[in-house]
Amino acid sequence: MTVYDELVARGLIAQVTDEEEIKELINNGKAVFYIGFDPTADSLHVGHFMALCLMKRLQMAGNKPIALIGGGTAMIGDPSGRTDMRQMMTPETIQHNVDCFQKQMSRFIDFSEGKAMLVNNADWLMDLNYVEVLREVGPHFSVNRMLTHECYKQRMERGLTFLEFNYMIMQSYDFYELFQKYGCNMQFGGDDQWANMLGGTELIRRKLGKDAYAMTINLLLNSEGKKMGKTQSGAVWLDPEKTSPFDFYQYWRNVADSDVLKCIRMLTFLPLEEIDKMNDWEGAQLNTAKEILAFELTKLVHGEEEAKKAQEGARALFSSGNAQNMPTATLTDADFTDGSIDILGVLVSSGLAASRSEARRAVEQGGVSVDGEKITDTRAAFTPEDFKEAKVVKKGKKNFRKVEM
């Protein structure tokens, strides 16, 4: 099976501009490809995960990845899939986020000895002359055609700023610069980036009379998982300080039955022959598949030792209630009033609920327990002495904390 055929078999490819040329480049290790990452936070999240795995997979086959950090485009903000304008960030915040991205990407991509590159589009976008852009780049973009693309149509009724309208031109210019400076001949991205990617291939063809290629990857989860990378407590980050290895493991352990094999194919590096044997799995076997998925991805992001700890903690939780490897929340004296804290306060202070009203609903709906005992009274209270020995606090089926003093 060729490299390209494996990408197809794993369900990774959505659409391409020229399949035969792309096959030739990828299968023979001739692809110099880039994927863009806008540094809108100080950590990558699981929404970036498929792109990172794809870069790793193609690099292993001899192709050269370029991780493009959008230090320049982040100053504008991508309107794709958004109903409002992204909050503007300062250059200092953007640079901090860029530094964090680079460190995390190194876990997936080998940047040594020129095997991959990390570049920042601020290096060329911030120095562009406005009139020059209008003259040299603007003529190659039809406003009528741009307005037919979904990324703009969705925003037209609510209001699309001229600032955001330029995003497609900036991303297209990225491909043009990377093509000239580094020989980048291919661009990857999600389906929502297709219009921007086509703009880049067209700009190269018109200005240079040469061809470059674009390919989008499939969205990962079905309609049950549209909130990719979200849990009840917030986003799922790759930074262990933001999302613990245990919570990261639990996120993947709890994917929908209909998604688990899709995720294993797309994200893990297990052989397809091994995955194909799981096609007929059902019932309890799907739980085994979820454990395989969660372990493999936690190992990839956080290392094998942390993956083992997370797996042991999750298994213990569902068996004996052992909380050894569970995320820990520590209460302080400030959490107690007159020597006690109610269950709503425990949920909020431990991070299991964002507010007392959310905590109240969880208790009233019967979704809260402490050391396996369901709590139905919202006035249930605890003293500091109760937490001298850690207690397992559970909210819903998927959220746990070891709470102690």
Side-chain angles (χ1 to χ4, degrees):
M1 181 181 292
T2 67
V3 179
Y4 186 86
D5 287 342
E6 182 174 353
L7 296 181
V8 173
R10 288 183 179 273
L12 286 167
I13 299 177
Q15 53 190 335
V16 300
T17 52
D18 189 325
E19 187 172 53
E20 290 307 312
E21 288 294 335
I22 288 174
K23 280 183 179 179
E24 167 69 19
L25 292 170
I26 287 177
N27 290 339
N28 293 290
K30 297 178 181 178
V32 181
F33 67 96
Y34 95 88
I35 299 180
F37 300 83
D38 273 352
T40 54
D42 60 359
S43 173
L44 297 163
H45 54 72
V46 297
H48 299 114
F49 198 52
M50 188 191 303
L52 293 168
C53 290
L54 179 62
M55 294 174 87
K56 180 180 178 70
R57 199 180 303 277
L58 289 174
Q59 185 181 50
M60 290 169 62
N63 298 287
K64 183 175 180 177
I66 299 176
L68 178 68
I69 306 298
T73 41
M75 299 290 287
I76 297 176
D78 185 0
S80 300
R82 298 185 62 83
T83 58
D84 56 1
M85 183 173 169
R86 193 187 300 277
Q87 184 177 358
M88 302 286 278
M89 296 187 297
T90 66
E92 292 76 19
T93 298
I94 291 173
Q95 185 56 53
H96 171 71
N97 295 348
V98 167
D99 295 339
C100 294
F101 276 26
Q102 182 171 4
K103 181 178 179 181
Q104 291 177 353
M105 286 178 176
S106 295
R107 290 194 63 90
F108 297 85
I109 305 165
D110 182 2
F111 289 100
S112 68
E113 301 175 354
K115 296 175 183 175
M117 297 180 63
L118 187 142
V119 296
N120 188 337
N121 64 13
D123 293 344
W124 53 83
L125 292 181
M126 300 303 285
D127 293 332
L128 284 177
N129 177 283
Y130 181 64
V131 174
E132 182 183 355
V133 172
L134 292 178
R135 283 177 55 86
E136 300 298 325
V137 181
H140 302 293
F141 290 84
S142 162
V143 171
N144 289 349
R145 185 176 178 184
M146 290 171 73
L147 290 176
T148 65
H149 294 303
E150 198 63 33
C151 60
Y152 289 136
K153 286 168 62 177
Q154 291 177 354
R155 290 289 306 280
M156 288 301 291
E157 292 183 6
R158 295 174 180 266
L160 176 71
T161 69
F162 181 71
L163 177 73
E164 296 169 288
F165 192 63
N166 282 271
Y167 191 91
M168 181 185 291
I169 296 176
M170 296 296 95
Q171 182 170 330
S172 299
Y173 191 80
D174 284 344
F175 198 5
Y176 174 75
E177 281 287 319
L178 291 170
F179 184 92
Q180 292 200 99
K181 289 186 174 185
Y182 307 113
C184 180
N185 51 30
M186 197 177 301
Q187 178 180 187
F188 287 79
D191 259 347
D192 60 340
Q193 296 293 311
W194 186 237
N196 298 341
M197 294 163 68
L198 289 180
T201 61
E202 184 69 7
L203 182 62
I204 291 169
R205 187 185 65 80
R206 287 179 175 235
K207 285 188 69 65
L208 303 176
K210 298 180 180 179
D211 291 321
Y213 308 98
M215 186 163 89
T216 64
I217 52 181
N218 272 317
L219 297 176
L220 181 61
L221 303 179
N222 64 19
S223 57
E224 295 180 23
K226 285 294 185 183
K227 295 181 179 178
M228 176 63 176
K230 298 289 184 181
T231 66
Q232 289 178 308
S233 58
V236 178
W237 305 98
L238 304 192
D239 182 347
E241 297 299 319
K242 289 178 171 288
T243 298
S244 71
F246 180 88
D247 283 340
F248 186 84
Y249 179 96
Q250 284 294 95
Y251 172 77
W252 295 107
R253 173 63 179 79
N254 291 304
V255 298
D257 289 355
S258 57
D259 289 325
V260 58
L261 290 184
K262 183 194 300 184
C263 291
I264 289 176
R265 279 195 178 87
M266 288 182 167
L267 298 177
T268 75
F269 288 79
L270 296 176
L272 282 170
E273 296 80 7
E274 184 177 334
I275 300 171
D276 288 341
K277 294 177 182 177
M278 305 178 192
N279 283 338
D280 297 325
W281 285 13
E282 56 186 23
Q285 289 177 307
L286 286 178
N287 287 329
T288 300
K290 292 178 184 181
E291 281 197 339
I292 292 171
L293 171 69
F295 181 83
E296 290 296 322
L297 299 191
T298 306
K299 180 175 70 173
L300 187 60
V301 175
H302 298 295
E304 187 165 5
E305 183 178 351
E306 290 296 334
K308 288 179 178 178
K309 288 181 182 178
Q311 186 173 68
E312 290 168 2
R315 287 175 174 174
L317 182 65
F318 288 103
S319 55
S320 64
N322 184 346
Q324 180 179 356
N325 292 313
M326 202 181 305
T328 299
T330 302
L331 300 178
T332 68
D333 291 338
D335 293 313
F336 292 81
T337 302
D338 295 329
S340 70
I341 182 173
D342 63 13
I343 186 60
L344 307 185
V346 172
L347 292 170
V348 172
S349 296
S350 65
L352 287 170
S355 65
R356 288 181 63 85
S357 59
E358 179 186 322
R360 183 182 300 278
R361 287 193 297 273
V363 173
E364 291 174 344
Q365 292 168 4
V368 174
S369 65
V370 176
D371 275 353
E373 180 181 347
K374 182 178 289 188
I375 304 296
T376 57
D377 185 356
T378 58
R379 296 169 297 178
F382 305 86
T383 67
E385 190 66 27
D386 291 326
F387 293 101
K388 291 298 183 184
E389 184 173 333
K391 293 183 178 296
V392 176
V393 181
K394 179 180 177 183
K395 172 176 170 280
K397 295 181 178 180
K398 305 176 182 179
N399 294 281
F400 313 90
R401 288 292 186 277
K402 179 172 66 172
V403 182
E404 60 188 13
M405 281 291 290

